[in-house]
Amino acid sequence: MQITLADIKRGQQAIITDVSSIHIPLKLLEMGCLPGNLVELVQVAPFADPMYLNINGTHLAIRKETAIHILIDITNA
Amino acid sequence: MPKQINVALIGNPNTGKTSVFNALTGLNQKVGNYPGITVEKKEGVCKLPRGVKAHIIDLPGTYSLNASSLDENVVIELLLNKNDKDFPDVAVVVSDVENLKRNLLLYTQIKDLEIPTILAINMSDRMTYKGIQLDIPLLEKELNTKIALISTRKNKGIDQLKELMINFKELSTKPCVNASEIDTNYFDSLRNAFPNQLLYKLWLVITQDVNFGKTDRNEVDAINSFKTKSKADLKRLQQKETIKRYQFINNTLKKGQTIDLKSAKDLRIKLDRILTHKVWGYLIFFVILLTIFQAIYDWSSIPMDFIDSVFASFSEWTKNTLPQGAFTNLIAEGIIPGLGGIVIFIPQIAFLFLFIAVLEESGYMSRVVFLMDRIMRRFGLSGKSVVPLISGTACAIPAIMATRNIESWKERLITILVTPFTTCSARLPVYLIIIALVIPEGRFIGLSYQALTLMLLYLIGFGAAIFSAWLLNKMLKIKGKTFFVVEMPNYKLPLFKNVALTVIEKTKSFVFGAGKIILAISIILWFLASYGPGDEFNNAEDIVTTEYASKDLTAQELQQKIASHKLEHSFIGIAGHAIEPAIRPLGYDWKIGIAIVSSFAAREVFVGTLATIYSVGSDEEETIKNRMAGEVNPILGGPLFNFASGISLLLFYAFAMQCMSTLAIVKRETNSWKWPTLQLVGMSAFAYVVALIAFQVLK
C-alpha cells in the first residue's frame, strides 16, 4: 500500500513522490506541494484534521481529504 | 519623462504588501470597488523625486496568475488588459525574504507578460536573525531586473524603491522562463493561430475562466474556441509549468541565496505548539473572544452614550432654532436621528476592527481558522467562517464583507446566510429594555437573572446560526470544489500604522456604505410616520384638544398626546393596525405592531418608535419602561408586557431579519435577489413561529 500525506506522524519527514493533479488545487502545487519537495507535519487539529504542514519551507494547513491525494516517502521513521 | 506613472503592487498574501503600500502612500489612499464587482480596490498617490507622481494600485494578494477567486481574477484581468486606464507602467512584486522561493513563482509569471517588473524584497531586517544572505547583483542578473531590499518596519529601502520606479524604462522586459517548452507542439500551433498575441497571455486566457473586460471580449472568444485540450490535460500542463518555474527558481537561489540553518530560530513553531494546542489553543482563543466582547460592550458604551446625547441635544436645538415647519421636522426628526443612528455604531465598529486587524496582522487569525475548521465543517461552514461570525456581534454588514476569502462558494454562501443570526449591537437596546421590564431582579449563583438572560440570548443567536447552517448544508445542492488551503504566516508584531489605517478605512466604508442606506430609511420612516391619510391624521390637533379639553393637561403633555394620535393614524400606524390580527397570537397589540413594522428597516428603531407612541418626550429608557409597564393587554387583561409576551418579543427580535442594510449587502455580495429574499422570508417566518410557541406555552 502506498503511503499518503494523510498517514504522516508528527516529527516524521517525508519526500513528496507524486501528486494527483486532478484532485489537488493548482494553488497548493504553486505553494510548493510538488514531487521532490520535503514535507513535515507540524501540528494536527483535534480529530486529526486539518493538518498543519511545513512543505518546502511554506507553513500551511490543508484538510485530510486533500492530503490523501499526495503520495510520500517517509525518510525518517 | 511622464509626470504620472501607474504602478501596480503585486505579491503573495502575508508578504507585507499592504505595509509597502502604506509606506508609499500614507494617508493619500482611497478604497473603492472595481467597476461591476465587489472586490475592493485600493489606490494611492506617492510622490517620487523630480516632481513625478506615482499612481499606486494595491492588487489583492495572490500566489500566482492562475486565479481561483474573484480577488485574484482582478489581478490578471488588469495585467492582461493594456487598454485599462490602470494598466501598470511598472509592476512591483513584493516578496518576503523568508519565502523568496515561493514568491518568485509569481514574479516569473509576471515577467513573462513582458511588463517592466521590480522585485521588492521586504522584511530585510529579519535576514541576520534568520541566517539568510543574498547576492543581490547576481540575483538581479539571473532574474533580469532591479531589486530593492526594503524593510517597512525599519523604514529602509523605500527611497531606493521609489528611485527604481522612476527609472522603470531601464528595466528589462525579457522573460525568465520559457513556458512554451512544456508542450512545444501545442504552443507552436497557438503561435500560428494568433501571431500578434503574446504567447504567455494566450496561455493564461486559455487556462482559466476569467471574466475579461469588455475591451478584449471578442479576442477572448476567439481564443476560447481554440481550446483543443481537455481540462485535465490543461491542468497537467499547468502543473508542468509550475515545476518548470520552480526548477528555474531553485537554480537561481542555489547561486544567489545562502541560508545558515543553525542561526534560524523559528519562533513560529514554538508559539504554535501552544496556540494551536488541543486544549490551550481553545482556551486562549476563548479568553481573546471574551476580551473582545468586553471591549465592544463595556469600553465602547462611554463614547456611545456621549454620541447619543450630542445628537439628541442637536436635534432639540434644531427644532428650537429653525423656523417651524415640515422641513425643520425632517431635519430634526428624520435626518439628525438618522445620522445619529449611524454615528453611534462607530465606537463598536472601530473597536471590533481594531481587534480583528491586530489578530490578522499578528498572524493569529490563521491559527483560529486551523483550530475551528473541523468543528465548523460539520455544519457546512469553513474555519474561515469564524471571523464573520465573530464580527457579526458588532454588525452583520462588515461581517458579511469578511466572507470574501472563503474559497468554496457553498461554504461562503452559507456563512453569508447565517451571519445575521448572531446578536448584533442593534439588538442590544431592544433586549435591554424588555429584559428590564419582564425579567425579575434576583441572583442565581452570584449572577443576576437579567445578565444571564442577555447571555442566553447571545448563545441562542449563535445556536441559530449554527443550526441553520447545518440545515442549509443539507438542503443546498451546490457542487463545486471545496478545497481549503491556509497559509500559517510567521508571527509579527502588528505595525501601528497598518492597524490604524485599516480601522479608519473600514469604519469609513461602514459609515458611507451602510450609512447611506440607514439614512435613507430613516427619512422614509420619518415620512411614513409624519403623514397619513384622512381626517383622523390631518385634524389630529382638534380631535385631541377636544377630547382632553376637560382634563387639565400641560401644553407639553397635550403636544405629546397629539404626536401619539398622529402616529397612530399615520401610514405606519395604519400598517401597525393592519398587522394586529397576525401578531395578537404572539401577545402583541397594534402599538408593538407599529414598532415591529418600523424596525423591519433597522432593529434599534424599536425603542424610538415606542417612545413616540407612548407619547414620551424623549427616548429616555426609564420613562419608556414605566409607560410600557403600565400598558394593559386589550384582550387578555393584565399587563401587556408580562413574562410571556416579553420572552416572545425577545425571541422575535433574536431571529427576525430586520435590517435593510444587511439585505442590501447580501444582494451585493451574492449578486442576486434570491438569497436576501430567502433570508428575509425564512428568518422572519422562523421568528414568528418561535415567538408564537413561546407566548402560547408561557401565557
Side-chain angles (χ1 to χ4, degrees):
Chain A
M1 204 191 85
Q2 278 179 308
I3 299 173
T4 73
L5 194 50
D7 304 315
I8 195 172
K9 305 252 170 349
R10 208 150 76 180
Q12 281 183 333
Q13 286 192 343
I15 300 279
I16 298 173
T17 54
D18 197 11
V19 287
S20 150
S21 63
I22 296 162
H23 293 103
I24 303 294
L26 187 63
K27 195 175 179 180
L28 191 56
L29 307 179
E30 288 166 345
M31 289 169 100
C33 183
L34 287 170
N37 281 339
L38 195 70
V39 54
E40 189 187 347
L41 181 71
V42 179
Q43 182 80 274
V44 281
F47 310 106
D49 197 16
M51 310 170 79
Y52 173 2
L53 303 156
N54 177 357
I55 301 179
N56 199 31
T58 297
H59 294 67
L60 43 89
I62 61 171
R63 289 178 182 170
K64 222 163 192 171
E65 62 193 33
T66 309
I68 56 169
H69 298 293
I70 301 167
L71 298 181
I72 52 164
D73 255 351
I74 289 174
T75 52
N76 73 327
Chain B
M1 187 74 216
K3 279 290 160 207
Q4 170 144 352
I5 58 171
N6 273 338
V7 179
L9 283 186
I10 311 169
N12 286 186
N14 308 312
T15 51
K17 194 164 57 71
T18 306
S19 307
V20 175
F21 178 72
N22 288 343
L24 287 170
T25 59
L27 279 168
N28 296 317
Q29 42 179 271
K30 61 172 191 223
V31 182
N33 273 329
Y34 285 91
I37 46 172
T38 55
V39 173
E40 271 183 10
K41 179 182 193 173
K42 279 174 83 178
E43 297 169 282
V45 175
C46 166
K47 281 197 185 117
L48 300 179
R50 301 192 283 284
V52 182
K53 263 196 208 159
H55 168 245
I56 300 191
I57 173 156
D58 184 18
L59 289 169
T62 176
Y63 289 101
S64 78
L65 288 185
N66 299 307
S68 61
S69 72
L70 207 57
D71 278 21
E72 292 169 355
N73 275 356
V74 167
V75 180
I76 26 176
E77 230 178 276
L78 177 65
L79 293 181
L80 294 190
N81 185 3
K82 281 207 161 137
N83 301 323
D84 195 302
K85 67 171 177 44
D86 289 331
F87 185 80
D89 296 303
V90 54
V92 176
V93 174
V94 182
S95 144
D96 154 9
V97 71
E98 282 177 61
N99 292 312
L100 202 50
K101 196 195 285 178
R102 201 190 62 217
N103 290 283
L104 282 177
L105 182 84
L106 178 64
Y107 167 82
T108 65
Q109 286 184 316
I110 290 167
K111 268 303 257 183
D112 285 10
L113 288 174
E114 301 183 1
I115 297 170
T117 306
I118 300 167
L119 181 63
I121 302 181
N122 194 13
M123 308 190 199
S124 59
D125 52 307
R126 295 174 72 93
M127 280 171 66
T128 21
Y129 175 72
K130 287 279 169 182
I132 300 173
Q133 276 185 320
L134 295 174
D135 184 345
I136 298 293
L138 187 126
L139 287 176
E140 286 187 334
K141 193 170 145 274
E142 294 284 324
L143 297 170
N144 275 330
T145 189
K146 289 285 171 195
I147 295 176
L149 256 189
I150 54 178
S151 160
T152 43
R153 197 162 292 269
K154 298 263 153 76
N155 208 8
K156 273 185 189 152
I158 300 291
D159 288 337
Q160 193 208 343
L161 178 62
K162 288 182 184 173
E163 196 65 40
L164 290 177
M165 283 183 197
I166 294 193
N167 299 321
F168 72 92
K169 291 214 165 121
E170 292 162 23
L171 293 167
S172 152
T173 50
K174 243 178 69 195
C176 295
V177 176
N178 189 355
S180 64
E181 283 171 16
I182 51 175
D183 188 334
T184 333
N185 290 337
Y186 181 66
F187 276 82
D188 279 346
S189 61
L190 258 186
R191 202 187 330 247
N192 290 333
F194 303 95
N196 299 324
Q197 284 287 348
L198 192 62
L199 201 54
Y200 190 61
K201 181 175 163 180
L202 287 173
W203 171 239
L204 281 180
V205 173
I206 288 169
T207 46
Q208 39 221 305
D209 314 305
V210 187
N211 292 317
F212 287 96
K214 276 188 217 103
T215 36
D216 268 0
R217 195 69 250 180
N218 296 333
E219 230 171 274
V220 172
D221 284 341
I223 297 167
N224 273 334
S225 63
F226 198 73
K227 286 186 178 173
T228 52
K229 285 198 181 282
S230 71
K231 263 204 156 145
D233 279 341
L234 285 176
K235 218 177 156 195
R236 213 161 295 133
L237 276 184
Q238 283 181 303
Q239 187 182 347
K240 265 179 113 175
E241 181 198 338
T242 311
I243 294 175
K244 194 169 169 50
R245 289 185 189 280
Y246 268 118
Q247 277 168 350
F248 167 79
I249 293 163
N250 285 337
N251 283 335
T252 307
L253 289 183
K254 215 177 273 170
K255 289 181 252 175
Q257 177 184 253
T258 43
I259 300 178
D260 178 8
L261 284 172
K262 260 177 271 160
S263 57
K265 298 161 225 155
D266 214 351
L267 177 69
R268 165 164 47 188
I269 303 274
K270 275 185 212 151
L271 267 175
D272 275 343
R273 291 251 155 82
I274 308 165
L275 291 179
T276 63
H277 189 270
K278 281 174 198 164
V279 179
W280 307 127
Y282 290 100
L283 208 67
I284 292 167
F285 180 45
F286 187 68
V287 170
I288 291 174
L289 275 188
L290 279 184
T291 318
I292 296 178
F293 282 126
Q294 180 72 10
I296 292 177
Y297 300 115
D298 231 29
W299 306 350
S300 59
S301 67
I302 300 160
M304 285 176 88
D305 288 344
F306 173 73
I307 293 168
D308 200 18
S309 64
V310 166
F311 272 89
S313 32
F314 185 48
S315 165
E316 199 61 28
W317 178 83
T318 321
K319 225 187 281 184
N320 297 335
T321 319
L322 294 180
Q324 277 196 356
F327 185 65
T328 305
N329 283 345
L330 172 67
I331 294 177
E333 291 164 10
I335 294 175
I336 294 177
L339 284 175
I342 301 156
V343 175
I344 196 156
F345 288 112
I346 290 180
Q348 282 189 334
I349 299 231
F351 263 123
L352 182 78
F353 279 115
L354 175 74
F355 278 100
I356 291 183
V358 169
L359 295 182
E360 293 265 25
E361 273 267 308
S362 63
Y364 180 71
M365 217 49 128
S366 307
R367 275 70 188 182
V368 174
V369 169
F370 172 73
L371 276 177
M372 298 301 288
D373 183 60
R374 179 64 203 249
I375 301 168
M376 304 301 275
R377 214 182 325 159
R378 262 178 216 197
F379 306 105
L381 298 166
S382 153
K384 295 182 183 176
S385 311
V386 174
V387 181
L389 289 178
I390 298 171
S391 311
T393 53
C395 177
I397 295 156
I400 284 168
M401 289 178 350
T403 60
R404 284 182 195 159
N405 67 343
I406 301 175
E407 293 100 343
S408 141
W409 166 238
K410 187 175 176 182
E411 288 172 348
R412 180 169 172 226
L413 180 65
I414 294 178
T415 312
I416 290 176
L417 292 178
V418 306
T419 295
F421 274 123
T422 51
T423 305
C424 71
S425 53
R427 285 183 176 102
L428 211 53
V430 183
Y431 284 176
L432 291 179
I433 198 161
I434 299 174
I435 287 177
L437 208 59
V438 301
I439 305 292
E441 282 178 40
R443 280 176 186 278
F444 175 73
I445 46 171
L447 294 164
S448 82
Y449 289 143
Q450 300 191 339
L452 280 173
T453 310
L454 188 62
M455 202 179 82
L456 210 62
L457 283 164
Y458 272 92
L459 291 179
I460 286 174
F462 272 117
I466 295 286
F467 171 73
S468 47
W470 175 81
L471 210 63
L472 284 166
N473 189 32
K474 297 261 176 237
M475 282 167 20
L476 291 176
K477 296 273 173 282
I478 299 175
K479 269 185 257 150
K481 40 178 197 218
T482 67
F483 65 84
F484 173 89
V485 181
V486 188
E487 196 192 350
M488 301 290 209
N490 233 327
Y491 289 103
K492 281 183 292 252
L493 212 59
L495 278 179
F496 174 75
K497 190 174 184 176
N498 288 352
V499 173
L501 283 170
T502 310
V503 172
I504 292 171
E505 176 209 296
K506 297 268 178 176
T507 313
K508 242 168 60 183
S509 102
F510 165 77
V511 171
F512 294 110
K516 263 186 285 189
I517 302 166
I518 299 180
L519 183 63
I521 284 164
S522 308
I523 293 172
I524 294 170
L525 274 181
W526 169 83
F527 177 81
L528 292 178
S530 309
Y531 293 92
D535 292 343
E536 279 285 352
F537 183 86
N538 292 324
N539 303 328
E541 267 173 61
D542 294 341
I543 297 168
V544 175
T545 318
T546 329
E547 190 182 334
Y548 290 96
S550 53
K551 303 202 175 82
D552 224 4
L553 290 180
T554 63
Q556 201 196 354
E557 278 170 327
L558 192 67
Q559 280 307 314
Q560 285 162 4
K561 291 278 182 223
I562 292 169
S564 168
H565 186 86
K566 273 188 161 174
L567 185 61
E568 188 186 343
H569 295 97
S570 69
F571 290 113
I572 275 197
I574 292 166
H577 274 293
I579 66 160
E580 202 186 1
I583 57 172
R584 200 171 287 147
L586 275 57
Y588 317 152
D589 67 349
W590 61 269
K591 294 178 189 173
I592 302 179
I594 293 178
I596 288 180
V597 169
S598 56
S599 56
F600 258 95
R603 302 172 177 95
E604 66 275 21
V605 175
F606 178 82
V607 179
T609 310
L610 284 185
T612 317
I613 218 159
Y614 292 138
S615 47
V616 182
S618 69
D619 56 3
E620 185 70 40
E621 268 176 31
E622 202 48 42
T623 348
I624 304 173
K625 208 184 97 184
N626 291 337
R627 285 297 174 97
M628 285 165 82
E631 282 289 309
V632 173
N633 189 313
I635 314 273
L636 300 169
L640 178 66
F641 290 93
N642 55 16
F643 187 68
S645 65
I647 296 293
S648 155
L649 206 51
L650 284 176
L651 290 173
F652 187 83
Y653 272 83
F655 299 133
M657 179 70 206
Q658 297 162 295
C659 182
M660 297 285 184
S661 329
T662 303
L663 290 171
I665 290 285
V666 172
K667 151 80 180 56
R668 211 180 72 174
E669 294 289 318
T670 60
N671 209 4
S672 97
W673 281 109
K674 180 180 166 190
W675 302 113
T677 313
L678 181 91
Q679 247 176 344
L680 179 66
V681 175
M683 289 176 69
S684 306
F686 182 62
Y688 184 87
V689 172
V690 174
L692 177 72
I693 294 171
F695 181 72
Q696 294 301 331
V697 170
L698 293 170
K699 79 171 177 189

